Amino acid sequence: LFRPRLPDDIPEYDDVQKVLREGIVNPLRTNFYVRADKVLRLRTFLDKLSSVKGLMSEEKDPEEFLNSLLQQTLRAEPFIKLSSGQECYHYQLFMEKEEHIVLPTTQQLLGLSFLQSDVKLAKVPSCLILQMPRFGKEFKMYSRIVPSLELDITDIMQNGPRECTICGLLATHECKDCYKHFGDSLDKIAFCENCLKKSHSHVKRCKHAPRPLTVDPDYLGYREAQFAGGAEDVAIPREMLELFAVICIQTSHYVAFVKCGEGLEAPWVFFDSMADRMGM
């Protein structure tokens, strides 16, 4: 919203930034309402300036809109960097459906998607936009999903420290084959050296293929310094993200729930894209 125009930006960069900041974001924050002509102006810009066509007349996938606005028009730095080397502004959850999960949480689906895709986050994202598992306009994998107010991403970090599922010490290995053996979450598949040997001496797990974990050298150095200073135990930190918005489609238009403030006690407000529902 405030980055100055650079030499390699498109000529219309300032115009797009202005309509986004002054025509949409500021009025929404101040008056909880955005005029239709301001949204139309943004759509006109994006339809003209990006490779995504039909922004004036067709229903679009969130990924198409985000790439059109953030990548091609504003050239923003991608929020999400994956261990595969891929960078993106939002991450769509792809997975095979778990029949035993009837009412999933965002936390469950995120872990399951990363587990099945065999990918991790290369760094903590500045903003994590997730698209729930759905395909096209009709098929939704789950009819209802409970939004997790906090999202624990500790176990999907590429080089982050993790806790052994059995003894709680620093984990050295991860075993994807152990999913559901000790529990159905990703904090149940990490082991220290000793617990790995003990747990995988069992006949049910002796043929598993655990993989070594890498931990950021800076954290290992900090941990050694703490122990050298006489600390009996060094707690392994959890990397938490806080939910601040939920956007969904309801009867062919978008509705949104947006958090106003920080912390679990902060109030939420409801927005509806249909002007005739104003005040509801």
Side-chain angles (χ1 to χ4, degrees):
L1 294 180
F2 296 99
R3 178 177 71 79
R5 184 173 177 271
L6 300 175
D8 55 349
D9 281 322
I10 60 173
E12 298 87 352
Y13 174 85
D14 291 330
D15 296 328
V16 175
Q17 188 183 53
K18 183 176 181 180
V19 72
L20 184 66
R21 182 181 64 238
E22 299 177 13
I24 295 177
V25 175
N26 286 351
L28 191 61
R29 290 174 173 172
T30 305
N31 306 313
F32 313 116
Y33 183 77
V34 177
R35 283 169 31 187
D37 62 313
K38 301 299 183 182
V39 178
L40 180 63
R41 183 160 170 73
L42 177 65
R43 290 175 65 173
T44 304
F45 271 127
L46 297 182
D47 190 60
K48 171 188 172 185
L49 300 173
S50 76
S51 63
V52 179
K53 299 305 177 186
L55 281 162
M56 297 293 290
S57 57
E58 301 172 13
E59 203 172 286
K60 291 296 170 188
D61 187 86
E63 184 175 15
E64 292 179 292
F65 168 73
L66 289 172
N67 284 335
S68 172
L69 176 64
L70 298 175
Q71 180 182 35
Q72 298 185 15
T73 308
L74 296 180
R75 294 169 51 86
E77 182 77 14
F79 304 137
I80 304 168
K81 300 181 188 297
L82 301 173
S83 58
S84 61
Q86 187 179 5
E87 297 182 350
C88 49
Y89 298 95
H90 101 306
Y91 185 84
Q92 181 169 3
L93 304 184
F94 291 103
M95 68 194 71
E96 296 177 11
K97 186 172 183 178
E98 293 274 347
E99 296 299 336
H100 73 283
I101 300 178
V102 179
L103 187 61
T105 64
T106 310
Q107 182 77 61
Q108 285 178 301
L109 297 183
L110 177 69
L112 195 58
S113 176
F114 271 70
L115 178 74
Q116 293 182 2
S117 301
D118 197 22
V119 70
K120 294 187 184 298
L121 292 171
K123 60 183 292 187
V124 177
S126 58
C127 175
L128 182 60
I129 303 175
L130 299 175
Q131 184 175 339
M132 295 300 103
R134 61 183 290 271
F135 304 95
K137 300 177 183 179
E138 304 298 328
F139 178 74
K140 292 189 295 183
M141 184 172 288
Y142 295 98
S143 58
R144 290 177 175 83
I145 297 171
V146 179
S148 301
L149 295 180
E150 286 188 311
L151 206 57
D152 189 338
I153 61 169
T154 307
D155 299 299
I156 59 172
M157 294 300 302
Q158 184 177 21
N159 297 317
R162 294 172 65 182
E163 191 176 281
C164 174
T165 186
I166 295 176
C167 70
L169 295 178
L170 183 67
T172 58
H173 288 77
E174 178 186 72
C175 181
K176 290 178 63 179
D177 299 320
C178 278
Y179 182 69
K180 291 186 180 177
H181 279 247
F182 298 94
D184 58 356
S185 58
L186 297 194
D187 61 349
K188 303 300 183 185
I189 62 172
F191 304 89
C192 69
E193 202 77 49
N194 289 334
C195 293
L196 180 74
K197 291 177 181 177
K198 290 178 182 178
S199 63
H200 285 74
S201 62
H202 193 287
V203 66
K204 290 183 178 180
R205 293 181 286 276
C206 63
K207 294 184 179 180
H208 286 188
R211 296 183 297 191
L213 292 170
T214 56
V215 181
D216 191 307
D218 290 340
Y219 175 77
L220 293 177
Y222 161 77
R223 190 177 177 84
E224 289 178 9
Q226 290 293 99
F227 279 124
E232 294 183 6
D233 186 27
V234 179
I236 296 170
R238 308 299 298 181
E239 199 68 62
M240 308 294 292
L241 299 181
E242 191 175 312
L243 181 68
F244 67 87
V246 177
I247 303 172
C248 51
I249 298 175
Q250 180 176 314
T251 58
S252 79
H253 68 284
Y254 284 98
V255 297
F257 300 88
V258 183
K259 192 172 189 175
C260 297
E262 298 179 358
L264 295 178
E265 301 303 317
W268 288 73
V269 294
F270 172 76
F271 290 103
D272 195 301
S273 64
M274 299 290 280
D276 63 348
R277 291 171 62 91
M278 182 179 171
M280 291 185 67

